[in-house]
């Protein structure tokens, strides 16, 4: 943790203040931004691949989708259910990250 020094306008007057930077300075912020972008890209690619697998398999590999997994439950139903679960998990991850960023933004405002 490092301290970033900056000027801030409060009530029409310019005042000096310190704010805490969790990434360890500007270089740390840029490095963490790259990691965040890579994670976002991987999450997007994973979602898109898993999302489009269902209609592609339903259209081109009907015997696989009709394979019974347990009782009368087919692989297609299992895959569709897993897509719903994946959507909820990704939404939960997004919400948790957004809460973290919102808290950091509020702390930066002072």
């Amino acid at each position: 943790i490092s301290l970033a020094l900056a000027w801030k306008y409060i009530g029409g007057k310019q005042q000096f203040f310190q704010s805490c930077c969790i990434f360890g300075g500007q270089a740390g912020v840029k490095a963490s931004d790259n990691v965040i972008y890579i994670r976002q890209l991987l999450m997007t690619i994973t979602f898109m691949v898993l999302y489009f697998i269902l209609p592609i398999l339903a259209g081109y590999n009907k015997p696989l989708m009709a394979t019974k997994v347990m009782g009368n439950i087919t692989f297609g139903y299992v895959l569709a259910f897993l897509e719903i679960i994946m959507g909820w998990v990704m939404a939960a991850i997004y919400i948790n990250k957004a809460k973290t960023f919102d808290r950091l933004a509020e702390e930066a405002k002072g």
Side-chain angles (χ1 to χ4, degrees), residues 2-73:
S2 68
L3 291 177
L5 304 177
W7 291 96
K8 183 177 182 180
Y9 284 96
I10 299 175
K13 292 196 300 188
Q14 192 176 32
Q15 296 180 353
F16 196 66
F17 79 102
Q18 295 179 344
S19 76
C20 186
C21 182
I22 64 164
F23 299 115
Q26 190 66 19
V29 171
K30 295 214 182 277
S32 67
D33 282 349
N34 291 337
V35 170
I36 290 170
Y37 293 139
I38 290 170
R39 287 182 185 167
Q40 289 173 345
L41 182 63
L42 287 175
M43 193 169 164
T44 302
I45 291 171
T46 302
F47 180 78
M48 296 300 287
V49 167
L50 293 176
Y51 182 77
F52 284 111
I53 279 179
L54 182 65
I56 290 171
L57 288 178
Y60 295 107
N61 200 348
K62 291 182 184 190
L64 173 66
M65 298 299 277
T67 303
K68 297 206 180 212
V69 177
M70 181 173 44
N72 285 333
I73 300 173

